């Protein structure tokens, strides 16, 4: 029995943009996630031809092995249809056979398998190069920075490192943990403070005549450091991370539009790109157009890129075939831009909406009073006056609810 194929290279991952490029270089097959009817024959043909191409088979150990096992070079339709991409397109055996009617690929007489033209010799298997990607997460250090120091002189210990770091840190920031120096390396966990990531990214320390450059731990390095943290430090980081996460759940303003939070904006941008076909323009002046146009204000080079822009469209990215936004310029040229970069910049420094205190107080007055919200006031003064009841959370703060909305014109 043939081994079940774990995964086939995907031709087109519908995303915002700047998602990881499809490493196999597989051609796109038309937004399968949005297909509800029969798949386009050309999309199916392109997909199957890719699976049996030299480009794919030189790295695809599974298909390469299955074809090599058959002396006539046949690959069964069942194996093709088990691929994730084919499942996403909802392709059937009949769809594949119809799509390959004008293909150079050969179909076996029993209609159950296909092969390369004339049983073409398979390419030599090559190990797929895996480009190094530094794993990062925007909120990995919400609970406090974990930083690594390397090339520490042999005579220096974690105590000297801690003291030098304390001299650089703001006076009210605590160092929760410093590891033993092992092979010239030590890491520290520090309480969170405003702009702490930027502080550590530019930090250097002179220790024992050696200048130590700080490295903010990311990905696997962060995971390894986290495993070595004492339990009480882990709990502190988790508590602070929850606190920061809660603080971020506030309305933001993009242009003159208000969103409940950044996550809502991300969802809306994804909805905009998924609801458009390839090469489809956004209607100028529409809400969707204004949202994407406003995102450009947060792009690292947005102002420069937007010069001469007269339209915005959705199309496949020239980098890997993912779908993304393009600016249409006055001279007819088009320039793709990364909505992901814009959203990440917003996530790092959210443009929070200003809360109208008067409006919030009026809303609070209209709220029904719950028995659990009523606290007894201190005994009234001797004059006999009755002190007013205070309505709040039980911790001395009045309850204030933020208005909920998805997108509204400010």
């Amino acid at each position: 029995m043939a081994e079940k194929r774990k995964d086939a290279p995907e031709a087109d991952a519908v995303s915002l943009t700047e998602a990881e490029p499809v490493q196999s270089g597989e051609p796109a097959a038309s937004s399968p996630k949005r297909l509800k009817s029969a798949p386009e024959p050309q999309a199916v043909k392109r997909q199957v031809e890719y699976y049996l191409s030299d480009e794919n088979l030189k790295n695809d150990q599974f298909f390469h092995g299955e074809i090599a096992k058959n002396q006539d070079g046949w690959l069964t339709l069942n194996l093709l249809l088990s691929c994730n991409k084919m499942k996403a397109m909802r392709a059937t055996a009949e769809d594949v056979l119809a799509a390959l009617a004008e293909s150079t690929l050969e179909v076996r007489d029993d209609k159950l398998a296909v092969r390369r033209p004339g049983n073409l010799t398979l390419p030599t298997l090559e190990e797929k190069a895996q480009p190094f990607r530094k794993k990062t997460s925007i909120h990995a250090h919400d609970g406090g920075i974990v930083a690594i120091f390397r090339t520490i002189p042999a005579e220096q210990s974690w105590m000297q490192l801690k003291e030098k770091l304390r001299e650089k840190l703001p006076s009210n920031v605590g160092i929760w943990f410093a590891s033993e120096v092992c092979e010239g390396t030590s890491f520290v966990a520090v309480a969170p403070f405003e702009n702490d990531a930027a502080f550590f990214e530019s930090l250097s320390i002179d220790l024992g005549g050696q200048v130590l450059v700080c490295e903010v731990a990311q990905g696997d390095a962060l995971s390894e450091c986290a495993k070595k943290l004492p339990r009480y430090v882990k709990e502190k980081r988790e508590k602070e991370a929850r606190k920061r996460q809660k603080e971020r759940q506030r309305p933001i303003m993009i242009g003159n539009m208000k969103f409940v939070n950044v996550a809502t904006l991300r969802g809306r941008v994804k909805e905009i790109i998924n609801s458009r076909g390839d090469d489809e323009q956004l209607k100028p002046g529409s809400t969707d157009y204004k949202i994407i146009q406003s995102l450009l204000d947060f792009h690292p080079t947005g102002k420069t890129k937007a010069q001469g822009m007269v339209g915005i469209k959705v199309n496949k990215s020239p980098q890997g075939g993912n779908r993304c936004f393009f600016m249409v310029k006055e001279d007819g040229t088009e320039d793709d831009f990364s909505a992901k970069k814009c959203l990440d910049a917003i996530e790092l420094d959210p443009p929070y909406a200003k809360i109208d205190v008067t409006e919030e107080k009026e809303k609070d007055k209209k709220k029904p009073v719950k028995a659990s919200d009523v606290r007894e006031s201190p005994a009234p003064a001797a004059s006999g006056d009755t002190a007013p009841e205070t309505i709040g959370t039980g911790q001395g703060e009045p309850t204030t609810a933020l208005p909920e909305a998805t997108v509204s014109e400010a």
Side-chain angles (χ1 to χ4, degrees):
M1 180 179 292
E3 180 185 353
K4 183 178 179 182
R5 179 173 174 79
K6 294 181 180 178
D7 189 24
E10 297 202 353
D12 175 28
V14 179
S15 61
L16 300 183
T17 185
E18 294 272 325
E20 289 189 357
V22 180
Q23 295 178 6
S24 62
E26 183 168 349
S30 87
S31 302
K33 292 184 180 179
R34 296 186 288 125
L35 289 175
K36 294 184 179 179
S37 56
E40 286 291 330
Q42 285 299 317
V44 176
K45 174 176 176 286
R46 187 162 58 244
Q47 194 69 48
V48 176
E49 287 180 343
Y50 173 78
Y51 287 145
L52 275 73
S53 68
D54 284 354
E55 181 184 358
N56 179 58
L57 290 174
K58 68 181 180 181
N59 299 125
D60 192 329
Q61 186 174 1
F62 179 80
F63 272 173
H64 192 287
E66 290 299 315
I67 295 172
K69 283 193 297 187
N70 187 295
Q71 63 178 11
D72 295 320
W74 296 107
L75 184 66
T76 65
L77 293 186
N78 284 341
L79 282 179
L80 286 171
L81 294 173
S82 71
C83 296
N84 290 339
K85 178 58 65 174
M86 302 300 284
K87 288 179 181 179
M89 289 194 290
R90 300 180 184 179
T92 64
E94 291 73 20
D95 293 328
V96 173
L97 293 173
L100 297 182
E102 298 181 2
S103 173
T104 57
L105 296 179
E106 299 176 8
V107 179
R108 202 164 66 188
D109 292 341
D110 61 6
K111 310 295 184 185
L112 297 178
V114 297
R115 72 178 181 185
R116 287 149 61 89
N119 193 14
L120 188 66
T121 303
L122 289 170
T124 302
L125 267 177
E126 301 175 7
E127 186 175 350
K128 184 183 292 186
Q130 298 291 341
F132 172 77
R133 287 189 177 89
K134 187 177 182 180
K135 296 180 182 179
T136 60
S137 172
I138 295 174
H139 302 302
H141 293 275
D142 275 359
I145 294 292
V146 174
I148 302 173
F149 294 90
R150 305 185 192 276
T151 65
I152 299 173
E155 69 278 5
Q156 301 295 321
S157 72
W158 64 271
M159 291 183 286
Q160 282 83 28
L161 173 63
K162 189 174 179 179
E163 288 305 314
K164 285 290 184 180
L165 178 58
R166 197 185 304 279
E167 293 173 7
K168 297 272 188 175
L169 285 169
S171 58
N172 61 339
V173 175
I175 301 174
W176 288 339
F177 179 78
S179 73
E180 294 283 353
V181 177
C182 181
E183 296 181 354
T185 300
S186 175
F187 74 89
V188 298
V190 179
F193 57 95
E194 189 174 356
N195 298 321
D196 49 5
F199 173 87
F200 277 95
E201 285 170 358
S202 60
L203 176 65
S204 63
I205 291 178
D206 189 337
L207 185 63
Q210 176 76 26
V211 177
L212 309 181
V213 178
C214 176
E215 173 190 335
V216 177
Q218 299 287 1
D220 294 339
L222 177 58
S223 298
E224 288 302 312
C225 293
K227 291 177 184 177
K228 299 173 184 177
L229 289 173
R231 182 176 177 179
Y232 78 93
V233 176
K234 292 179 182 179
E235 291 174 350
K236 280 186 176 183
R237 294 188 81 244
E238 290 169 1
K239 181 180 179 181
E240 291 297 330
R242 287 194 296 270
K243 187 188 297 183
R244 279 192 173 182
Q245 184 178 14
K246 186 175 181 180
E247 290 171 354
R248 287 196 298 271
Q249 301 309 309
R250 294 159 50 191
I252 59 171
M253 293 296 298
I254 303 298
N256 65 339
M257 291 157 285
K258 181 184 290 186
F259 292 82
V260 174
N261 50 36
V262 179
T264 305
L265 173 62
R266 283 187 182 275
R268 183 59 187 273
V269 173
K270 188 172 183 178
E271 178 185 321
I272 292 171
I273 200 167
N274 285 347
S275 63
R276 264 73 180 184
D278 292 342
D279 209 34
E280 182 177 346
Q281 290 208 26
L282 277 61
K283 183 179 179 181
S286 67
T287 301
D288 287 355
Y289 186 95
K290 291 177 182 177
I291 291 172
I292 305 306
Q293 184 180 35
S294 297
L295 280 186
L296 281 168
D297 292 340
F298 300 90
H299 192 282
T301 58
K303 291 183 179 180
T304 303
K305 290 175 75 74
Q307 290 180 358
M309 185 181 78
V310 294
I312 300 173
K313 65 188 290 186
V314 174
N315 211 343
K316 290 186 177 68
S317 169
Q319 302 172 350
N322 300 313
R323 287 158 50 79
C324 65
F325 294 105
F326 284 77
M327 290 178 287
V328 181
K329 301 297 186 68
E330 293 174 331
D331 58 4
T333 59
E334 298 175 358
D335 187 11
D336 65 313
F337 68 94
S338 168
K340 182 178 182 298
K341 284 185 179 179
C342 303
L343 291 167
D344 286 351
I346 292 171
E347 187 94 49
L348 287 171
D349 188 15
Y352 291 121
K354 294 181 179 179
I355 299 175
D356 188 328
V357 178
T358 304
E359 182 181 341
E360 293 302 315
K361 287 183 178 179
E362 289 299 319
K363 287 186 178 181
D364 287 340
K365 289 180 181 178
K366 296 177 183 179
K367 289 182 180 179
V369 179
K370 296 180 182 179
S372 60
D373 287 335
V374 179
R375 297 185 300 155
E376 292 187 4
S377 300
S383 62
D385 293 335
T386 302
E389 292 180 333
T390 302
I391 301 186
T393 62
Q395 298 182 17
E397 293 293 334
T399 303
T400 303
L402 295 175
E404 291 192 3
T406 49
V407 180
S408 60
E409 301 290 336

